Amino acid sequence: IFVTALMLSSLPLLSGAKSMHYKDGDTIPIIANKIGPFSNPTETYKYYDLPFCRPGQLKKQKHNMGEILSGDRKVVSAYEVKFKQ
């Protein structure tokens, strides 16, 4: 029973789900993550390691335990999107 309780208590750390609420005109952050081929899901690369237009300074996102274990390496992209515009 203790092990089950411990596993259930760690679910919020692993899910990474956040509730976001935006107002008209708010900036929505666009996050770049890993990229790789469908044929081999274990082969992944950081998005900006590939020959795309890389922003001057990369701002890293915080990762939860589940994202770290799955190999996510999120950074804020150079794109700017406004909510409902």
Side-chain angles (χ1 to χ4, degrees), residues 35-74:
I35 191 168
F38 285 113
S39 60
N40 184 3
T42 59
E43 179 185 357
T44 60
Y45 305 95
K46 294 177 185 175
Y47 184 80
Y48 285 114
D49 283 352
L50 298 175
F52 298 120
C53 295
R54 180 184 173 135
Q57 184 73 16
L58 293 177
K59 181 180 175 188
K60 295 182 179 181
Q61 283 287 107
K62 291 184 179 182
H63 298 83
N64 64 33
M65 183 62 73
E67 292 168 332
I68 291 170
L69 293 174
S70 68
D72 288 348
R73 298 297 180 259
K74 301 184 295 187

Side-chain angles (χ1 to χ4, degrees), residues 22 25-32 48 55 76-85:
Y22 297 104
D26 283 353
T27 301
I28 301 172
I30 305 298
I31 308 299
Y48 285 114
V76 178
S77 71
Y79 303 105
E80 186 173 295
V81 175
K82 300 285 186 178
F83 186 66
K84 290 190 178 180
Q85 290 185 353

